[in-house]
């Protein structure tokens, strides 16, 4: 059975809408499901931010060693640990980027995004020919609009207000942030897969840039999607994302015994629960893994 048919069989078990792009980097065998459709990226948009940061470091615009002072005005709710730090902590740019990826830190993400510029991240994706990756909002903007507090000012008061909103009513399922349009943080599975391929093959700016990006992505600590059903020692560089019924994960999986690597980008919406979306992503990844290592 073809990889395409195997992945479609997995998705026959869910009523959620999925977009999938899988490609073996050596053989070029690939499968696409809703490959060109827009999906809300959630925190997978942190991969394009990381790519832009390392491009800027390569060009001398920024330094990974520079320390950034965090204040109450930087607070962002949701995932991460920096919101728990005492105000005044000084954190290196590289550490902000590390936390942005490995624990999906929202505060760290928005500080990195301030440094590189939202418009410049979006423009870099277009320069790469990835026209269906669109980045318009920071984590704060995404969460405040999704929480029904559009325009809420960042700071201690806004942070507590938004946090309280999530604890009581949560994200508005009908929010504009979920519309699959380029005015939101959206991507097609195909274009996210192409970005991952550029990184995995050393073609994004330089080999050194790609090595820096991969070094961070391989340290991922959130491992309940792409990595979940794979052998424990599998090397994986990935980044997940969740907001409302959107459950995503994108990454590069390195196969054993010299069998190469494959990229996988899975976006979804309309999941009955986060766990259900996670189960599907894990199953899709396992199916691709076993297909590529020859376990029919």
């Amino acid at each position: 059975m073809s990889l395409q048919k195997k992945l479609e069989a997995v998705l026959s078990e869910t009523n959620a809408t999925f977009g999938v792009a899988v490609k073996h980097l050596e053989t070029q065998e690939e499968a696409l499901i809703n490959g060109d459709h827009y999906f809300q990226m959630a925190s997978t948009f942190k991969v394009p931010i990381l790519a832009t940061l390392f491009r800027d470091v390569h060009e001398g615009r920024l330094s990974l060693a520079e320390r950034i002072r965090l204040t109450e005005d930087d607070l962002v709710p949701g995932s991460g640990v920096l919101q728990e730090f005492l105000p005044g902590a000084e954190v290196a740019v590289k550490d902000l980027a590390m936390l942005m990826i490995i624990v999906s830190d929202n505060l760290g993400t928005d500080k990195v995004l301030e440094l590189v510029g939202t418009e410049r991240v979006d423009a870099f994706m277009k320069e790469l020919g990835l026209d269906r990756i669109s980045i318009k909002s920071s984590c704060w903007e995404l969460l405040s609009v999704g929480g029904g507090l559009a325009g809420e000012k960042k700071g201690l008061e806004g942070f507590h207000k938004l946090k309280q909103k999530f604890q009581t009513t949560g994200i508005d399922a009908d929010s504009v942030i979920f519309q699959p349009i380029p005015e939101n943080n959206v991507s097609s599975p195909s274009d996210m897969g192409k970005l991952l391929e550029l990184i995995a093959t050393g073609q994004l700016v330089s080999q050194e840039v790609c090595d820096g990006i991969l070094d961070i992505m391989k340290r991922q600590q959130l491992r309940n999607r792409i990595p979940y059903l794979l052998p424990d020692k599998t090397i994986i560089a990935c980044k997940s994302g969740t907001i409302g019924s959107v459950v995503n994960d994108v990454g590069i999986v390195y196969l054993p015994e010299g069998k190469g690597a494959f990229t996988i980008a899975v976006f979804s919406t309309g999941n009955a629960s986060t766990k259900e979306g996670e189960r599907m992503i894990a199953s899709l990844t396992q199916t691709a893994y076993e297909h590529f290592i020859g376990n029919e």
Side-chain angles (χ1 to χ4, degrees), residues 39-52 100-101 104-106 109-110 113 118 121-122 125 133-143 184-187 192 195 239-242 248 250 267:
F39 288 84
Q40 164 61 247
M41 279 191 281
S43 282
T44 66
F45 92 118
K46 296 168 185 178
V47 176
I49 296 172
L50 185 69
T52 309
M100 171 177 75
I101 298 298
S104 204
D105 197 289
N106 287 341
T109 301
D110 281 3
L113 197 53
T118 306
V121 178
D122 195 62
M125 294 301 104
I133 294 180
S134 181
I135 295 172
K136 307 299 183 186
S137 304
S138 66
C139 292
W140 175 264
E141 291 165 339
L142 181 71
L143 293 172
N184 285 325
N185 287 2
V186 294
S187 175
M192 181 58 79
L195 176 60
K239 179 72 200 82
S240 57
T242 312
N248 302 335
V250 305
F267 297 134

Side-chain angles (χ1 to χ4, degrees), residues 43-99:
S43 282
T44 66
F45 92 118
K46 296 168 185 178
V47 176
I49 296 172
L50 185 69
T52 309
L53 170 65
F54 271 83
R55 186 276 307 265
D56 285 358
V57 169
H58 176 79
E59 294 179 350
R61 292 188 69 255
L62 295 169
S63 166
L64 292 176
E66 180 185 354
R67 291 191 169 272
I68 306 297
R69 188 173 185 272
L70 307 181
T71 72
E72 289 180 345
D73 289 339
D74 297 317
L75 288 168
V76 184
S79 57
V81 297
L82 289 172
Q83 61 182 283
E84 311 297 345
F85 283 28
L86 291 172
E90 293 189 352
V91 183
V93 171
K94 184 175 182 179
D95 293 332
L96 292 173
M98 185 73 71
L99 292 170

Side-chain angles (χ1 to χ4, degrees), residues 154-186:
K154 244 180 161 182
L156 188 60
E157 183 180 344
F159 171 75
H160 286 306
K161 197 180 292 185
L162 191 51
K163 203 171 179 181
Q164 179 65 28
K165 183 80 172 177
F166 291 146
Q167 289 170 348
T168 53
T169 58
I171 290 283
D172 177 8
D174 296 320
S175 173
V176 66
I177 66 169
F178 294 113
Q179 293 182 12
I181 54 176
E183 288 72 30
N184 285 325
N185 287 2
V186 294

